[in-house]
Amino acid sequence: MTDHEQPEEHGYSPDLVEAKWQARWRERHTNEPDLDRAERPFYNLMMFPYPSAEGLHVGNFFAFTGADVYGRFKRLQGFDVFEPIGFDAFGIHSENFAIKVGIHPAELIPRNIANFRRQLEQLGGMFDWRHELSTTDPNYYKWTQWLFLQLFKAGKAYKKQAAVNWCPNCRTVLANEQVVAGECERCGTVVEQRRLDQWFFRITDYADRLLANLDDNTRMDWSDSTTAAQRNWLGRSEGAELDFAVEGAGPIRVFTTRPDTIFGATFMVLAPEHPLVDALATAAQRGAVEAYRQAVAARDLVSRKVGDKEKTGVFTGGHAINPATGQPVPVWIADYVLMEYGTGAIMAVPGHDERDFAFATQYQLPIVRVVALDGEDADTPLEAAVEDNLAGRMVHSGRFDGLPVPEAKRAITDWLAEGGHGTRTIRYRLYDWCISRQRYWGPPIPIIYCDACGAVPVPEHDLPVILPELEDFRPDDSGISPLARNAEWYHVPCPTCGGPGRRETDVSDTFLDSAWYYLRYTSTEFHDRPFDTSRVARWCPVTTYIGGNEHAVLHLLYSRFIAMVLHDAGMLHFEEPFARFRAHGLIVKDGAKMSKSKGNVVIPDEYIARWGADTFRMYLMFLGPFQEGGDFRDSGISGPRRFLNKVWDLVDQSQAVTLAGNEIHHTVLIKWHQTKKKVTEAIDGLSYNTAIAALMEFLNALRDVNCSERQVVKDLVVMVAPFAPHFAEECWERLGYHTSVFDASWPSWDDALTVDRRVEIAVQVNGKTRGKITVPRDAVEDAVIAAALADPAVARFTDGKAILKRIVVANRLVNLVVGEG
Ligand SMILES: [Zn+2]
Ligand SMILES: [Zn+2]
C-alpha cells in the first residue's frame, strides 16, 4: 500500500464505531431472522469462500460487500433477510497447500476459517452466524454422503472405467477445466491420460430440462452471460445416428448434424480407443495402428479437444459401407476424434467440413461436393471446404439432387431410417459428472465392496463415514486414494451379508459439497435430517444469488441438477434452486490482474485498519458497475471517506436545526425526491456506483444551501446504510433513535416531486435584465407577467410607468417595454 493518502483528522472514528456496532449486532441478534416464522422471507445468498491460508482477498471483499449491500437494502425495504455464510473447505486446493507447507489439513483448515471469520466480521456483513457451516464438518458431510446415496438409489450414480486427465505431479485426476494448454492448472506439469474406475452421476439424463428451464424466466431470472454459458455447455444439437456396415463386425455408428451430406462421406475416422479398431485393422496396418494408439494414450484430453493445426491419423486398412452410396469407404483412426464424445466415430465429409477437408488433403482422400449454391458449377474442383452451404441445393446425391438443404435433411434421414440405417436424434455436448477423486481431503464415498454382493451402499444410519485421520495423506502413483492405507478403516463387514468387505477409497468432488449447501444453511441445527422441509419451503428457492461468473457452468449446473434429483424424489418443492442469479465483475489493480508474482495483491486488512471497513466498502462499490468490476487505485479511497466525514457533520448540524424547524428549500425538495428514486432504482439494479454518486451529489446540494433539515438527513443516513452499515447505525443513534437503522424503513418518494416543475426566468425591462422570477413551467403568459411585475427588483423600473409591450419567451424570458406614464 502506498503512503500518499491518509485520512484527514475528523471527529468520526471508524475504529470505535465499527467495533461498537459489531458487538451490538451480536448482542442484539440484529442479523438473525426468525427462520420459522418470517413473513417476508428473502434468502440473500453469496458464494461461500474456500478458506485459503492467505485470507480473504479484495476480490472476495468486493463480491461479499456487493451481495451484502443488496441484503441490507432488502432488509430496509421490509424483508426478513437471511444472509448466511460458510466455508467450502474440502478439496484439492486445501490439500495441495497442506502438502506444500507440511501441515495436516485437519489442523490448517480450522486456523484458516478462524481468520476468515475475523475478516468477515470486520467487513460488517449482515451474516447470520448461527447458521455458519463448513463442508469439512462431519455434521455436514454426513449429508453430502446421504446425497450420494439418494443418487445411487435413484439409479443416477454408476461406476465405469473412463479416460481421465492425470497430473503425474499432483497425482490426481483433473477436470477438463483444470487443464490449461495441456498442463496442470496448479503445478504446470504436462497432463497425461489414464483409465480408471470412477463414479459418475447421470447429469446427462437431465440435459433437456437443464436447457429448457433456462428459457423460463418465471423460474430463473439469471444474468444473460450465465445462461448463455450454460446453454453452450449443454450444447444441444439435432441430427441423426447412422450405421455404416462393416464386414465381419458390428456396424460403425456415427452421430451427424448433417445427414443430408451423407453422399459426400468419403471416409470415416474412429477414436484410436474405439472398440472396432481391432476388428478393422488389417495385418499390414496393425503395427502402425498400435504405434499410433500408444502415442495418443500419452496425450491429455484437453489438447486433443482443442485440436492441433496439424492433423495426424493412421489408416486401419479396413473399410465400411456408406449406407447411401453402397460404396466402401476407408476407415482411419485419428486423435481429433474422442471416445468420450458422441459415438467415438465420425463420417468424414471433406467437401463440407473444414477439419475433414484438412485431413483429406493431407492424406489424399477423395473430396466430393454434395451441396451447391444456385448457379454454382457443382463440378468445380474444391479448394476449401464449403462450410456456408445451408442455402444451397443437393448435387451428386442420387434422387435427392435439386432439393434444398433443409428438405434434404428430412428426406434423407427418413430414407435412411426406412432402410434400417439410422434414426433421427438429439445430442448434447454435456458429459456425465465424474465425482471420484483419488485423494484424501474430501468426504469418503459411502460404498462398501463385497465379493458376493458387489457395490453395497453404506446404510444411512451408519453415516457419516468419517474421514479417517491419516498421518501421511499424500497421494502416490497407484491411482488409489491414500485412504486404502488405513487398514482398520478400509476392511469392514459387508452391510448386506456380513462377509468381508472393503470401503470405497475415493472421496467425492468438492462440487458435490457446494451443490446443496444453500439447503443446509436453513437447517444447521437439525442433526437428524439434511434439511428441514418446512424451513426449505419458507426460504427456498434462494431469492437472490450473487457470485462469480467463473462458476457459471460447473457449480451452478451441478446445483441445478442436484435440486432436480431431489425434486423428483419428492424431497423439494422446486427444481430450480436459484430464482435470481447475478454475476459480479472482477477487480483489477492499476489495470492488471492481481497476482502474487506481480506483487500487486491488495490486502484488505491494511486498508480497513487505515480507513475503516465502511469507507473501504464504499470505495469498492464506487469502483465501477458491480456487474462489471473495476480498477483498484490507491488514489481514490479518500473520496468516500470525505463523504462520510461530511455526512457525520451534517448529522451534527441537523440536531441543532431541527429545533428551528426551517422550511425545506425548493431545490433541495426536488433533489431529495430525485435522489430517493435514483438510489432505490440503482441499488435494485446492482448499479451501486451510480447510487453512491447520487448520494454524493445530494450531499453537495444540501451543503450548497446549508440545509440540514432532520427529515432529509434521516433519509440520507438510511440510504447510506447498505454501503456503510456501522457508520449509519452510529449516525442513527446520534439522531436520537434507540433501534437499529436497519429496522427503519427505506425512504419513499413522490414521483410528482422528482421533476422540477418550476423554471427560473429572466425579466428584462427595456432590454436590460432587472430581475429573476421562479414560476411553474409552461405557466400562462398573464401569470408570468403578473409574477414579473410583482418582483420588487423589477418593480423599481416599472412602477408608475406605462407598459407598452410585453414579450414572453416561454420558460426563458420576459421583456417589458415601458414608457413614461
Ligand atoms: Zn499438478
Ligand atoms: Zn456381501
Side-chain angles (χ1 to χ4, degrees), residues 96 167-172 174 183-189 191:
N96 280 359
C167 173
N169 182 42
C170 297
R171 294 168 178 163
T172 191
L174 301 177
E183 291 173 357
C184 172
E185 172 194 59
R186 274 181 219 97
C187 69
T189 307
V191 171

Side-chain angles (χ1 to χ4, degrees), residues 3 100-101 123 128 130 143 197 320 339 350 354 400 481 503 528 539 550 559 574 691 772 809:
D3 269 310
K100 199 172 110 193
V101 299
L123 171 77
D128 184 343
R130 292 173 306 171
W143 302 112
D197 259 347
M339 203 56 222
E354 208 78 59
F400 301 101
S481 160
R503 284 197 191 277
D528 60 344
W539 293 93
E550 70 271 24
S559 302
F574 56 89
K772 281 186 175 162
V809 181

Side-chain angles (χ1 to χ4, degrees), residues 133-194:
L133 60 79
S134 167
T135 55
T136 53
D137 180 350
N139 285 323
Y140 184 88
Y141 72 69
K142 167 182 180 174
W143 302 112
T144 308
Q145 293 171 335
W146 170 89
L147 193 57
F148 176 92
L149 295 179
Q150 306 317 302
L151 278 117
F152 184 86
K153 273 197 257 171
K156 300 298 177 194
Y158 68 98
K159 208 168 191 195
K160 74 167 181 191
Q161 207 185 60
V164 290
N165 299 303
W166 176 266
C167 173
N169 182 42
C170 297
R171 294 168 178 163
T172 191
V173 169
L174 301 177
N176 290 330
E177 298 68 36
Q178 296 168 313
V179 182
V180 178
E183 291 173 357
C184 172
E185 172 194 59
R186 274 181 219 97
C187 69
T189 307
V190 173
V191 171
E192 299 170 357
Q193 214 190 320
R194 276 206 181 179

